[in-house]
Amino acid sequence: MVDTQRLMSRKMDIDRPCAARIYDAFLGGSHNFGVERRFVERAEAELPGITEVYRENRAFVRRAVEYLLAHGVHQFLDLGSGIPTIGHVHEVARRRTGEFRVLYVDNEPLTVAHSRPLLDDEPRAAIIEADCRDPESVLRSPEAAALIDFDRPVALLMSAVLHFVPDRDSPAALVETYRKALAPDSHLAITHLTADHDPATAGTLERFYAETADPLVARPAKWIDALFGDFEVLPPGTSHLTDWRPDPDQTSAVPRYRVVHGGLARKPE
């Protein structure tokens, strides 16, 4: 059982890099500080081109959202969302339809504070300050009640968030709790750091993030695949992100770093 009192204790901290603002900095956003930009510079110096890993992750989310919209799923619950900029879920959705709902969830106070003004003009999207390790605080929040109908299909996005959940907080059991809360024909998207193909790079990222407010852990691809439980993993299966439904004009060049594994699965009827 996760100690919810511990989860509620996170304070605003601008002296250490945080994962949400690091991601924003890698994507070229403006909602980050010098500590995050220095993190990016150090990472790029040691791992030239590592920025592409973060862009690949965001591109996967875009392709997954486009797939989901095309298959009639219009509700999105994005856990550990970070700052909703640079082509995030609601921006992708509103290019395709006016019928969508997005609830972003993050536990870092300044991330949420930065995000709320960005969503002021979008009534179909909102962000709440909550910890994904406390499903009750997410699923029973007033914002979830206002935006998301859990009796209908929902797309649960767990993109680059579970590698920040330590083993002591039982990440596999956590995902199972969320899966059970979803209606049939809901979908689950997961991306996660793995060391299977490139242990040196994954180890370097673990070392870098150990100095931040959000340490991470790489896990085996088989472990990541098991998170989908009895959901039907959709073609082409789980894979390195650039191999998942690539855009027609996407280059076929082998990516330099193969350290993020993921896929999309559907809850059966």
Side-chain angles (χ1 to χ4, degrees):
M1 181 69 68
V2 176
D3 179 2
T4 55
Q5 288 299 116
R6 172 171 57 84
L7 301 186
M8 292 167 56
S9 66
R10 181 159 188 171
K11 305 298 182 184
M12 194 175 296
D13 182 358
I14 63 172
D15 296 322
R16 287 189 300 170
C18 89
R21 294 192 297 272
I22 289 170
Y23 198 178
D24 183 68
F26 269 115
L27 294 178
S30 59
H31 298 276
N32 52 78
F33 299 115
V35 288
E36 284 84 32
R37 293 189 287 276
R38 286 191 292 275
F39 179 100
V40 170
E41 291 168 0
R42 289 176 55 225
E44 271 288 340
E46 189 151 343
L47 299 169
I50 194 64
T51 296
E52 287 305 310
V53 170
Y54 295 79
R55 292 176 178 166
E56 288 167 8
N57 192 79
R58 180 53 57 88
F60 167 87
V61 171
R62 172 183 55 77
R63 296 195 301 273
V65 170
E66 290 173 342
Y67 173 92
L68 291 160
L69 291 168
H71 288 78
V73 180
H74 293 256
Q75 302 187 104
F76 300 88
L77 178 59
D78 188 351
L79 302 181
S81 62
I83 299 165
T85 61
I86 319 295
H88 218 339
V89 178
H90 71 286
E91 295 180 343
V92 176
R94 70 186 176 198
R95 289 199 296 266
R96 301 290 186 269
T97 179
E99 298 297 324
F100 69 87
R101 298 289 185 272
V102 182
L103 181 61
Y104 296 111
V105 179
D106 207 281
N107 71 339
E108 202 279 315
L110 197 53
T111 294
V112 176
H114 277 165
S115 300
R116 283 180 173 144
L118 299 173
L119 299 173
D120 278 347
D121 296 329
E122 181 46 83
R124 296 161 294 188
I127 188 166
I128 60 171
E129 184 182 339
D131 197 303
C132 70
R133 292 170 291 178
D134 182 8
E136 192 75 10
S137 71
V138 174
L139 300 172
R140 307 302 177 198
S141 68
E143 293 86 353
L147 276 175
I148 307 295
D149 180 358
F150 286 102
D151 292 328
R152 296 176 55 243
V154 174
L156 176 61
L157 308 179
M158 305 186 84
S159 167
V161 63
L162 290 167
H163 48 228
F164 294 111
V165 178
D167 290 340
R168 71 172 184 271
D169 289 335
S170 305
L174 174 69
V175 178
E176 182 180 12
T177 299
Y178 280 106
R179 290 201 316 264
K180 289 179 177 178
L182 300 178
D185 205 32
S186 291
H187 289 66
L188 171 61
I190 294 174
T191 70
H192 194 298
L193 183 71
T194 182
D196 282 11
H197 306 291
D198 189 348
T201 297
T204 298
L205 288 172
E206 287 180 319
R207 174 167 54 83
F208 269 60
Y209 275 88
E211 303 171 7
T212 75
D214 298 290
L216 55 69
V217 56
R219 295 186 173 105
K222 286 185 177 180
W223 184 94
I224 299 165
D225 291 347
L227 297 172
F228 291 107
D230 61 355
F231 280 31
E232 173 195 0
V233 177
L234 301 178
T238 59
S239 64
H240 181 263
L241 300 189
T242 55
D243 298 331
W244 193 89
R245 296 180 177 272
D247 294 319
D249 59 349
Q250 184 171 313
T251 175
S252 60
V254 176
R256 186 179 308 188
Y257 303 108
R258 299 179 68 86
V259 291
V260 183
H261 181 84
L264 178 66
R266 172 186 170 273
K267 186 170 186 175
E269 298 289 343

